[in-house]
Amino acid sequence: DTAVSQTPKYLVTQMGNDKSIKCEQNLGHDTMYWYKQDSKKFLKIMFSYNNKELIINETVPNRFSPKSPDKAHLNLHINSLELGDSAVYFCASSQVTSGDKYFGPGTRLLVL
Amino acid sequence: AQSVTQPDIHITVSEGASLELRCNYSYGATPYLFWYVQSPGQGLQLLLKYFSGDTLVQGIKGFEAEFKRSQSSFNLRKPSVHWSDAAEYFCAVGARGANNLFFGTGTRLTVIP
């Protein structure tokens, strides 16, 4: 069973479009995250959700909006996609009492 | 300020040779340290972590890492590298219970026959 899953794995789209990436975890964790990995492989946190509350938003443009329908899901919606949004987006989850973060396989987004 | 430095961008080793990947950190609180591996086109897999106690920690796939507080380092080692170890390795630091992990820029490992 996949612990943290993301869909789609690849996403190619045009500038200006709106797209969503879905994430699900079956680990029973109480916190979920979105990380962005740029072309130089640098990983930076975008959001985290704990008990349906957004608790980190690291200077991410408001075109990005995380949505968590329940503890097991944290989706990422992106409006008006720009070329610079091309990256790999990783979902992760953890239990807030530990530091272990489990990552999904990533979604490779290419904006043309 | 929190940061992680992985000074080696790319390392090439022969299969069967030993490996050491360097990681230095700067963190204001008690650091919790991690090594992740990312195989090509894959997500990140946790190799090992250090929270407290024995400063030499064992991980999966035969990897180990040693925490040296005096040097602010957490280097990853493996005595004999296998071709399947070729991947990108990331060191990260955070605080237990904290939401953010600070990642280094990664070290790409190439294994030659």
Side-chain angles (χ1 to χ4, degrees), chain A residues 3 7 10-11 21 39 44 46 53 57 63 67 70 72 75 78 97-99 101 104:
Chain A
T7 54
Y10 298 96
L11 184 53
I21 307 172
S39 58
K44 188 173 182 181
M46 300 176 71
E53 290 185 53
N57 184 335
R63 298 182 295 103
K67 297 193 191 307
D70 55 58
N75 303 326
I78 315 169
T97 52
S98 80
K101 288 177 176 57

Side-chain angles (χ1 to χ4, degrees), chain A residues 33 37 55 96 100-101 108, chain B residues 36 38 41 49 97 99-100:
Chain A
Y33 312 82
Q37 185 178 45
I55 51 177
V96 72
D100 297 18
K101 288 177 176 57
R108 285 140 188 87
Chain B
Y36 284 87
Q38 183 180 21
K49 62 192 178 192
N99 290 296
N100 201 0

Side-chain angles (χ1 to χ4, degrees), chain A residues 17-41:
Chain A
N17 285 349
D18 302 338
K19 291 293 178 186
S20 292
I21 307 172
K22 295 185 176 181
C23 177
E24 177 181 2
Q25 56 97 1
N26 62 7
L27 297 167
H29 288 162
D30 57 15
T31 307
M32 296 183 70
Y33 312 82
W34 279 104
Y35 279 80
K36 179 180 180 180
Q37 185 178 45
D38 62 23
S39 58
K40 296 184 179 179
K41 300 277 188 175

Side-chain angles (χ1 to χ4, degrees), chain A residues 94-102, chain B residues 29-36 46 48-57 65 67 69 74 92-98 101:
Chain A
S94 73
Q95 196 64 20
V96 72
T97 52
S98 80
D100 297 18
K101 288 177 176 57
Y102 291 83
Chain B
T30 301
Y32 290 93
L33 295 150
F34 305 83
W35 274 100
Y36 284 87
L46 180 64
L48 47 76
K49 62 192 178 192
Y50 171 78
F51 287 158
S52 64
D54 192 346
T55 56
L56 184 64
V57 293
F67 171 61
R69 185 183 299 276
F74 188 56
V93 66
R96 191 165 195 175
L101 274 182

